[in-house]
Amino acid sequence: MIKEKYTNRVKEISVNIVQTDIDSVRKKDILKTGLRVYDKGYIGVAGAMGKADEEDLERRAIDNLSLKIPYPCEPSENLKMHLDYREDIFSDEEFVREADEVLKVLRDEFSDFTFSNKMYLFEMETGLTNDLGLDLLHRDRLLTVEFVIKEKASANVFDAFAIYATRQYNREELLNIIREELTAYRNPVKLPEEGKLPVVFMDFDMVPVSKLIDELNGYKLGTGASLFKDFIGEKKFNENFTFYQSAEKEDLRFIEFFDAEGVVNEGFKYALIENGRIMSPYTDKKTAHKFNLPLTGSAVGEYDKVPSLSPRYFKVKSSDKTLKELLNGKMAVAVVIASGGDFTAEGVFGTPVQLAFLTDGERLIGRLPELKLSGELYSMFGEDFIGKSKDKAFLGQQALALYLNVNYL
Amino acid sequence: MDRDIKFVKDAKPVKPGKYTVIFAPVATGVFTHESFGHKSEADFMIGDETMMKEWPIGKKVGADNLCIVDSGEILGSGFVPFDDEGTKAHKTYLIKNGILSGRLHSTITAESLKEDTTGNARALNFEFEPIVRMTNTYIEPGDKTKEELISEVKEGILIEDINHGSGMSIFTIAPKISYMIRDGKIAEPVNISVVTGNVMETLHEIDGISKEFELLSFTMGGCGKMEQFPLPVGLGGPYIRVNNVNVQ
């Protein structure tokens, strides 16, 4: 029998903001411990919050082996990695004072808008160890801002967002993102024309790549339900399009460099589509074992759950060009909020766009009316794929650019 | 399952455009929850003069036969007999006969707007503070049958099942199973990426509501509001017929 221990401790302070003012402050310090035992192809799991009695956890995990939950794979072994990405940002008191200062600036500069929701200072420590020499530890600290923005004269529930996440906080960097967005917001503009136009999305926006994530699911592909089931190894997309699973430092936001089964990919990434060629679906150990697929380290699991297949973080490989260079003199539609869109089963894409700006690749020029976008999966990442910018030219984020059909809603 | 297999085999892409659309109860429920339910959560209104002017109780906001309710008293995934501040569940009419009749409150928002509490303060779990959330949200049944709603449509779409939906000023629903309606009859299956419309305009575009009614509970997923996701809620309603819906 092999014993494995998972621990996760989260310390967080957040300020709740209402009408551009601090409404309340919340503090968390939560420890979760999970004990897994593996025996004769089965797994037993038990978990506890707070200070855990490990002997009791182990007894309960062993009892749970009787549930006969299959785990026909070997636990990870012989790997020790301790990564500490924490940087000094603020003490809790300094953080609350800083939030207050930021809100003061926003009240002065943007009296025609209100800001609400939260700012967080978040610290995590996650460990995974077992009897086979696995010893992984991830420590991280992030300051994140998630402002919901409303134009005071608007009857909408909200009109815009501002998102900022960093290990090295810079007030002016945060304010400049908001300044660029809201200055453009105040300037209504029209599309250069309706029809096929360059459209850019922020790096973390999964709307355009959601179908790829669905179809690259290892279980879906293994059972023959994926659009890509007959295309592994085949070139189906643009030569410059590479799509990979990433656990690189710059991409980690509240997740660890290892997955829930202790898998660490070489270079912290795994290419699923490389230079247009479909290489592999994403898998956890069970899925890789069942369908004889490569293991990509895509297991997710709560502290008291059996790890299972789930998407982690995916990204499109950056080009060596700036957004301005990628757009090559053309104006583009920069999408900030495109909520509710989807792909059909065969890959036809459609989404409304609640908030978009016109951009020249260097700055946002003005706010566009509500739009609708449409495209088709193989075209979007084939002949209509433009590239991903190397610079953070879209509100502090790298930008994914592709041609889509753009019309007024 | 047979329906789904046949649909996957036979469905063809829809011709984009504006259609009269009939929503099945699950689509009605998601539309109601996303498009109007969230607008009824009073924490969005605190200190906001524009919202108070735009959303006075008594304002005509929908078709005459439209009644939208939130109630934590009904068994299912939105059953909240007492909310997370200890307030007893209420049946709250958000819209009654097309008139804005109420909104959803925590104690803080009720006090702030000088309205009554409604039992809608809910927290995802011990890690979060209670905020204003829905419970079971639905449109009340009408007086037509599903067949009557369909029979009165020359060319339109029936959405029988959906993948997801969302709503701000515009609502969106991503259908899973849809059919064309031609000359009052269900015709060929069609694949649709998304249907959209302006929420406030669409509430006036509802011109038929069925007697058939279904309130649904779900074991997976739930409602998301900012950091608190997924919160179990119930939703549903009758079949509703809506004109001028944008279909992609």
Side-chain angles (χ1 to χ4, degrees):
Chain A
M1 187 170 65
I2 298 158
K3 189 170 84 176
E4 192 167 76
K5 182 176 152 189
Y6 169 94
T7 56
N8 171 250
R9 182 170 186 178
V10 170
K11 291 167 81 173
E12 178 197 290
I13 178 165
S14 61
V15 293
N16 187 43
I17 296 155
V18 177
Q19 294 283 323
T20 327
D21 218 339
I22 295 177
D23 178 67
S24 57
V25 178
R26 184 182 70 200
K27 286 179 93 165
K28 293 183 187 176
D29 185 352
I30 299 170
L31 173 66
K32 297 171 182 173
T33 305
L35 218 299
R36 304 171 188 161
V37 291
Y38 302 91
D39 193 38
K40 299 184 182 71
Y42 298 107
I43 183 171
V45 183
M49 279 193 176
K51 202 170 179 182
D53 176 345
E54 284 189 29
E55 286 181 7
D56 177 54
L57 275 185
E58 188 176 342
R59 268 196 303 275
R60 285 166 44 207
I62 291 169
D63 285 349
N64 287 340
L65 283 170
S66 64
L67 298 171
K68 301 281 184 196
I69 298 168
Y71 194 83
C73 323
E74 294 300 319
S76 298
E77 60 183 26
N78 296 327
L79 180 63
K80 178 173 180 174
M81 286 183 85
H82 289 191
L83 296 182
D84 189 348
Y85 291 150
R86 290 176 300 177
E87 310 234 2
D88 284 333
I89 306 182
F90 290 122
S91 69
D92 288 354
E93 293 72 22
E94 288 167 341
F95 171 68
V96 177
R97 270 200 299 276
E98 177 61 21
D100 203 29
E101 289 296 320
V102 167
L103 294 172
K104 207 176 288 175
V105 175
L106 294 176
R107 282 195 298 272
D108 287 345
E109 290 191 25
F110 299 102
S111 58
D112 47 342
F113 292 90
T114 60
F115 297 78
S116 60
N117 202 30
K118 284 196 160 64
M119 289 176 70
Y120 302 87
L121 186 59
F122 175 91
E123 186 170 334
M124 66 183 277
E125 179 178 312
T126 306
L128 187 64
T129 57
N130 69 22
D131 298 341
L132 300 176
L134 185 72
D135 181 3
L136 304 173
L137 184 66
H138 181 107
R139 290 194 177 109
D140 214 340
R141 184 184 292 132
L142 289 166
L143 189 152
T144 65
V145 176
E146 296 175 7
F147 283 146
V148 171
I149 304 171
K150 182 180 177 301
E151 192 180 9
K152 280 187 179 170
S154 154
N156 290 329
V157 169
F158 58 88
D159 298 292
F161 283 115
I163 306 285
Y164 178 73
T166 184
R167 295 187 179 95
Q168 294 171 311
Y169 175 75
N170 180 313
R171 187 194 297 175
E172 278 307 300
E173 189 177 62
L174 165 64
L175 290 172
N176 285 338
I177 289 169
I178 297 168
R179 285 174 183 133
E180 184 183 358
E181 182 174 1
L182 294 188
T183 303
Y185 187 98
R186 287 166 172 155
N187 178 35
V189 294
K190 290 190 172 167
L191 288 169
E193 58 186 339
E194 289 188 274
K196 211 165 199 180
L197 292 173
V199 177
V200 300
F201 295 87
M202 289 189 215
D203 191 23
F204 62 76
D205 193 337
M206 292 294 125
V207 165
V209 296
S210 59
K211 185 68 173 174
L212 293 175
I213 296 171
D214 279 351
E215 301 303 323
L216 286 168
N217 178 299
Y219 189 82
K220 188 170 185 180
L221 193 130
T223 52
S226 166
L227 284 179
F228 302 153
K229 66 183 166 62
D230 298 322
F231 300 146
I232 295 294
E234 287 193 25
K235 189 161 187 171
K236 301 296 288 182
F237 298 105
N238 192 297
E239 168 70 23
N240 297 317
F241 180 66
T242 292
F243 186 67
Y244 62 99
Q245 183 179 303
S246 173
E248 293 177 288
K249 181 180 177 183
E250 71 204 53
D251 299 321
L252 291 179
R253 297 280 182 269
F254 317 119
I255 58 170
E256 297 79 18
F257 68 86
F258 52 90
D259 79 345
E261 293 178 315
V263 176
V264 180
N265 288 316
E266 193 179 338
F268 302 112
K269 55 188 180 183
Y270 199 105
L272 306 176
I273 299 171
E274 192 157 26
N275 300 120
R277 195 176 302 279
I278 301 172
M279 305 302 289
S280 172
Y282 58 90
T283 59
D284 64 344
K285 288 189 178 184
K286 268 193 196 175
T287 312
H289 172 83
K290 186 177 174 79
F291 300 110
N292 195 25
L293 292 166
L295 175 61
T296 73
S298 201
V300 172
E302 280 285 303
Y303 68 103
D304 58 351
K305 300 275 195 310
V306 176
S308 62
L309 176 65
S310 188
R312 296 189 80 224
Y313 184 76
F314 300 99
K315 68 186 293 189
V316 176
K317 187 180 176 185
S318 305
S319 70
D320 57 1
K321 292 181 177 172
T322 64
L323 182 58
K324 178 89 176 167
E325 289 166 343
L326 285 171
L327 295 179
N328 197 23
K330 291 185 174 149
M331 301 292 266
V333 173
V335 176
V336 174
I337 305 175
S339 174
D342 209 340
F343 287 81
T344 62
E346 73 269 29
V348 175
F349 174 64
T351 187
V353 178
Q354 290 84 356
L355 180 62
F357 296 93
L358 199 62
T359 181
D360 60 4
E362 286 185 316
R363 64 187 184 93
L364 301 183
I365 290 162
R367 173 170 52 102
L368 290 161
E370 290 169 332
L371 303 170
K372 57 183 176 182
L373 305 178
S374 60
E376 190 278 327
L377 179 68
Y378 290 108
S379 306
M380 287 165 68
F381 301 104
E383 69 266 24
D384 290 337
F385 178 68
I386 300 171
K388 191 166 126 186
S389 70
K390 67 177 182 185
D391 58 339
K392 296 185 174 181
F394 185 4
L395 296 176
Q397 305 289 328
Q398 288 177 284
L400 172 68
L402 59 163
Y403 282 98
L404 289 170
N405 294 310
V406 184
N407 294 93
Y408 293 114
L409 194 66
Chain B
M1 192 175 282
D2 287 345
R3 176 200 73 171
D4 289 7
I5 292 169
K6 188 165 169 44
F7 179 86
V8 169
K9 281 183 175 171
D10 297 346
K12 299 285 185 297
V14 73
K15 185 182 167 195
K18 283 202 168 180
Y19 292 91
T20 294
V21 175
I22 295 177
F23 291 163
V26 65
T28 299
V30 170
F31 165 74
T32 308
H33 174 103
E34 297 292 352
S35 65
F36 197 77
H38 281 299
K39 275 189 185 296
S40 301
E41 294 168 340
D43 48 351
F44 289 124
M45 306 189 72
I46 300 300
D48 191 327
E49 288 173 18
T50 307
M51 291 293 264
M52 291 304 293
K53 277 184 198 152
E54 283 291 323
W55 295 97
I57 300 295
K59 181 180 178 178
K60 174 87 169 159
V61 291
D64 289 343
N65 53 351
L66 180 66
C67 297
I68 297 182
V69 170
D70 182 274
S71 173
E73 296 173 324
I74 305 164
L75 284 175
S77 38
F79 180 55
V80 185
F82 293 90
D83 74 6
D84 292 332
E85 293 176 334
T87 304
K88 195 171 185 305
H90 285 241
K91 180 177 181 180
T92 307
Y93 274 92
L94 307 177
I95 297 177
K96 194 163 194 178
N97 300 324
I99 305 291
L100 186 68
S101 301
R103 40 187 150 246
L104 306 179
H105 282 297
S106 64
T107 50
I108 291 172
T109 63
E111 165 58 24
S112 178
L113 300 187
K114 305 297 176 202
E115 295 176 359
D116 291 334
T117 55
T118 57
N120 288 88
R122 303 181 65 192
L124 187 64
N125 57 40
F126 77 96
E127 293 189 34
F128 300 94
E129 64 275 24
I131 57 174
V132 183
R133 305 299 295 266
M134 283 171 263
T135 56
N136 293 295
T137 313
Y138 56 90
I139 292 180
E140 287 195 326
D143 54 4
K144 291 187 180 244
T145 65
K146 174 187 174 185
E147 283 67 32
E148 283 171 335
L149 291 181
I150 293 168
S151 70
E152 293 162 359
V153 177
K154 174 81 178 153
E155 186 189 48
I157 288 168
L158 169 66
I159 297 177
E160 279 283 20
D161 201 359
I162 65 165
N163 288 318
H164 57 80
S166 71
M168 290 168 53
S169 55
I170 303 168
F171 77 90
T172 66
I173 287 176
K176 185 157 77 177
I177 305 276
S178 309
Y179 300 90
M180 289 302 299
I181 300 170
R182 298 190 189 282
D183 297 322
K185 292 190 171 60
I186 296 173
E188 73 275 15
V190 281
N191 276 324
I192 299 171
S193 334
V194 66
V195 300
T196 62
N198 177 289
V199 171
M200 299 320 296
E201 290 168 10
T202 301
L203 290 175
H204 291 279
E205 295 282 359
I206 297 171
D207 79 345
I209 300 178
S210 80
K211 296 173 188 170
E212 295 92 338
F213 174 90
E214 209 176 337
L215 185 63
L216 298 126
S217 290
F218 305 91
T219 53
M220 306 283 284
C223 172
K225 185 171 177 180
M226 305 310 164
E227 61 178 357
Q228 296 199 39
F229 170 83
L231 187 76
V233 292
L235 48 83
Y239 286 83
I240 59 169
R241 188 172 62 207
V242 189
N243 295 315
N244 294 313
V245 176
N246 200 330
V247 177
Q248 278 181 268

